Amino acid sequence: RRQIGRHLLLMLPVSWREAFLSACLGCKNALMSYLSGVLKTSLFVFVATLTGLFLLGINDALLLSVFMGILEVFPYIGPSLPILLTALGQGFGQAVLALIVVIAVQQIEGNFVTPYFTASSTSIKPLSALIGVFVLGSLMGLWGVVLAIPLIVTVRSVLWSIRSAVIMMKPS
């Protein structure tokens, strides 16, 4: 992999190499920051769901909370159906209370936790993220929703690197 990278770098004009390496490093840093924010959000969803379901005495609360935390990586896909079906086995009242827990966790996560972690880890505005998810989701379906934020962060990083390279190349 390193040799392929070196050979590709040699194919670029010498004046572009530093900008290319800067863009690659910026993309790596931006994507790692995004991943960090997603993992923090997933951890919050796991802990909040586990707490709520455990307090309600729902069977398999740990497994269901892990499932919900993992599915949180895919935005706007609600993992509430397995929790509802499991709680329904314990009675209709438990199912309603479990659904209330899931809805409360999703509302807190969607309105406060995700925008905070996304904005703090990637430094993109929540409105930009929402528009990106909407546009790419409309164009590419589920893949667009899943890949919207990483693509926005990557494109922004590349554009910043190009801008920096152009500013550095201009004679003073």
Side-chain angles (χ1 to χ4, degrees):
R1 186 176 79 175
R2 289 178 193 246
Q3 277 187 323
I4 291 172
R6 287 185 189 127
H7 288 295
L8 288 174
L9 193 60
L10 290 174
M11 293 190 327
L12 290 174
V14 174
S15 60
W16 292 12
R17 290 179 187 168
E18 187 175 336
F20 176 77
L21 290 174
S22 174
C24 288
L25 182 61
C27 289
K28 175 188 169 200
N29 291 340
L31 289 174
M32 286 296 135
S33 295
Y34 168 73
L35 184 60
S36 170
V38 167
L39 292 176
K40 289 174 188 174
T41 301
S42 292
L43 181 63
F44 166 80
V45 169
F46 164 72
V47 170
T49 305
L50 179 63
T51 302
L53 294 179
F54 182 75
L55 290 175
L56 290 175
I58 301 295
N59 293 338
D60 301 322
L62 179 62
L63 177 65
L64 294 169
S65 299
V66 167
F67 182 68
M68 192 157 163
I70 289 171
L71 281 183
E72 193 56 43
V73 172
F74 303 103
Y76 308 111
I77 298 174
S80 57
L81 187 61
I83 293 173
L84 183 63
L85 292 175
T86 301
L88 201 54
Q90 295 177 313
F92 184 74
Q94 286 293 91
V96 170
L97 291 174
L99 188 60
I100 290 171
V101 166
V102 169
I103 290 171
V105 169
Q106 288 293 314
Q107 289 301 310
I108 293 168
E109 176 269 327
N111 290 314
F112 302 107
V113 176
T114 297
Y116 173 75
F117 284 137
T118 300
S120 66
S121 63
T122 63
S123 71
I124 63 172
K125 305 281 187 232
L127 182 61
S128 301
L130 186 63
I131 290 170
V133 168
F134 175 73
V135 169
L136 288 174
S138 297
L139 294 173
M140 299 169 49
L142 179 61
W143 284 108
V145 171
V146 172
L147 297 175
I149 305 300
L151 286 174
I152 290 169
V153 170
T154 301
V155 168
R156 184 193 61 186
S157 180
V158 169
L159 291 176
W160 280 356
S161 296
I162 291 171
R163 179 176 162 236
S164 297
V166 167
I167 289 172
M168 289 174 48
M169 287 181 178
K170 284 186 179 180
S172 302

